[in-house]
Amino acid sequence: NAGVMQNPRHLVRRRGQEARLRCSPMKGHSHVYWYRQLPEEGLKFMVYLQKENIIDESGMPKERFSAEFPKEGPSILRIQQVVRGDSAAYFCASSPIRSGHLSYNEQFFGPGTRLTVL
Amino acid sequence: TQLLEQSPQFLSIQEGENLTVYCNSSSVFSSLQWYRQEPGEGPVLLVTVVTGGEVKKLKRLTFQFGDARKDSSLHITAAQPGDTGLYLCAGAYTSNTGKLIFGQGTTLQVKP
């Protein structure tokens, strides 16, 4: 039973280039979340998606960042015209649909993509 | 602003000692998770607490959720070098889905 998969694990880009980060959720999970972790800081929420829908993007920078979770294929976090401040670890998490009085939000994380902007 | 204060930020102890990590907020959480993260890896879920006053045990780790569901603690008994790592608490405001609010993390070093 494969966990959350992310690729690439490491990504190096020069300033002004584009970065595309991919995330495949756990089997049976239909909710995907992206978080960013800066050096010496905790994880910060960026965006929450379900298939073909962005549910909450309150943590996404207003410019250059976008995310999608198409009907087929992985979720993509796209950063255009990267700057040095974008250097961070980007984590994807997924969760299953739960219902009923025992429902609670439990997220499982991938290994992350470490983005370095030169 | 939704905040989760985690303390202490750093902890260095000798093997065999006990320790407690705290996670506090002024907000009520629907659930709270504890994760452990190794360098270069993603957070690994240790436990989820849902009910106020709930206590869960995982070998030498004891997790407690406050009665008002605003705070939580992680207690490690007889720490071992293998416990070394970054411990993160994360709270959820909605029951089913939605973002997690993370604490700043506690870096634990257990010396042999």
Side-chain angles (χ1 to χ4, degrees), chain A residues 30-34 47-57 67-71 75:
Chain A
S30 60
H31 304 263
V32 167
Y33 308 81
W34 286 93
V47 63
Y48 161 38
L49 311 103
Q50 294 179 24
K51 285 285 188 181
E52 300 184 281
N53 283 304
I54 296 175
I55 307 302
D56 180 0
E57 55 181 350
E68 63 176 8
F69 189 14
K71 188 177 180 180
S75 175

Side-chain angles (χ1 to χ4, degrees), chain A residues 20-117:
Chain A
R20 292 171 72 89
L21 289 62
R22 297 175 190 77
C23 168
S24 295
M26 287 180 70
K27 188 176 180 181
H29 288 192
S30 60
H31 304 263
V32 167
Y33 308 81
W34 286 93
Y35 294 83
R36 176 164 64 177
Q37 187 174 38
L38 294 168
E40 308 302 325
E41 291 188 17
L43 281 82
K44 304 293 185 188
F45 168 79
M46 298 182 74
V47 63
Y48 161 38
L49 311 103
Q50 294 179 24
K51 285 285 188 181
E52 300 184 281
N53 283 304
I54 296 175
I55 307 302
D56 180 0
E57 55 181 350
S58 58
M60 286 276 271
K62 293 287 185 278
E63 298 177 350
R64 303 187 297 108
F65 285 72
S66 62
E68 63 176 8
F69 189 14
K71 188 177 180 180
E72 301 291 336
S75 175
I76 305 287
L77 178 67
R78 182 182 177 203
I79 311 172
Q80 294 178 289
Q81 299 174 343
V82 296
V83 301
R84 288 209 174 123
D86 297 331
S87 295
Y90 292 83
F91 292 96
C92 168
S94 71
S95 68
I97 297 175
R98 296 187 187 272
S99 60
H101 70 285
L102 293 179
S103 63
Y104 51 87
N105 190 353
E106 194 171 61
Q107 298 180 16
F108 298 88
F109 283 78
T113 294
R114 275 135 192 94
L115 172 66
T116 301
V117 179

